[in-house]
Amino acid sequence: VSRVDEAAVRNTRDVDILIRYGSGRLPGYVGHKLFDDELIAACSPAYLKRRPPFSEPVDLLNERLIHLENVDPTWEDWNSWFNHLGITEAPSTRGQLINNYIIAVQAAVDGIGIVLGWKRLLTNYLKQGLLVPAISAVVPTTGAYYQMLHERRNTGANVDHLRKWIEKEAAAIRK
């Protein structure tokens, strides 16, 4: 299993199954929705202790937000998160601009600021106490996670077994 972008998918014929976040549409593939997600503002417990308590999402506007540099304009960011919560004021650009999601999450773990995170991707960080929600507000994502199957490829027993296992794991995540 590897992450591939649309250009890579168009140029390969050897991909049987893709796990993809987005709309579930990709030429040559049939999408089967695995699960939705939510966006949360997360930070380290140490960062939270150094700040006055946040009671409303607007309290985060002037915090050290970790901004993810998006190459895809359809991806959610701090502006869309605040807008969904009815806050039209632009968030502070004070903080970090990072071009890699994993590095952005690690910056939050290190106490640098607050990251906007996909809750399902942050599950282990939250369970381990490395990150905590900065505030209770959550925003549903515009996309979902999909299992993408090549529409014209005859798959064998191994691929079918993997597909069923992915579906079983996704069902457990949805609970």
Side-chain angles (χ1 to χ4, degrees):
V1 177
S2 64
R3 185 206 169 275
V4 293
D5 61 24
E6 288 186 35
V9 170
R10 284 191 294 269
N11 294 325
T12 187
R13 293 176 175 32
D14 297 330
V15 176
D16 295 309
I17 298 176
L18 299 169
I19 305 297
R20 190 165 193 269
Y21 174 81
S23 67
R25 291 186 303 272
L26 185 65
Y29 288 83
V30 177
H32 301 277
K33 188 174 182 179
L34 297 172
F35 46 80
D36 294 304
D37 209 345
E38 298 173 318
L39 295 170
I40 64 169
C43 61
S44 70
Y47 182 89
L48 202 55
K49 286 180 186 174
R50 295 191 309 257
R51 298 288 187 255
F54 305 125
S55 59
E56 300 291 330
V58 72
D59 296 340
L60 302 184
L61 281 171
N62 293 310
E63 282 299 314
R64 294 184 59 83
L65 302 178
I66 299 170
H67 298 270
L68 184 61
E69 185 177 41
N70 293 329
V71 294
D72 183 345
T74 65
W75 277 54
E76 295 93 348
D77 60 12
W78 281 110
N79 285 323
S80 61
W81 188 80
F82 282 113
N83 285 336
H84 191 278
L85 295 170
I87 301 166
T88 56
E89 185 179 340
S92 171
T93 56
R94 190 175 120 226
Q96 300 291 317
L97 176 62
I98 298 176
N99 68 357
N100 180 288
Y101 183 71
I102 298 301
I103 294 172
V105 170
Q106 186 60 49
V109 168
D110 293 344
I112 291 173
I114 304 171
V115 70
L116 183 63
W118 283 257
K119 191 173 181 179
R120 295 201 192 274
L121 296 180
L122 297 182
T123 298
N124 288 335
Y125 294 93
L126 296 166
K127 283 181 180 177
Q128 294 172 28
L130 297 171
L131 291 175
V132 295
I135 198 157
S136 62
V138 296
V139 169
T141 58
T142 57
Y145 296 90
Y146 288 86
Q147 177 174 234
M148 309 296 292
L149 304 173
H150 198 283
E151 66 185 8
R152 292 191 187 127
R153 191 172 179 90
N154 291 327
T155 57
N158 289 339
V159 173
D160 193 50
H161 181 72
L162 176 60
R163 178 189 59 78
K164 289 177 182 176
W165 177 81
I166 291 169
E167 290 169 0
K168 179 182 169 194
E169 291 297 311
I173 289 171
R174 285 191 302 266
K175 291 181 181 178

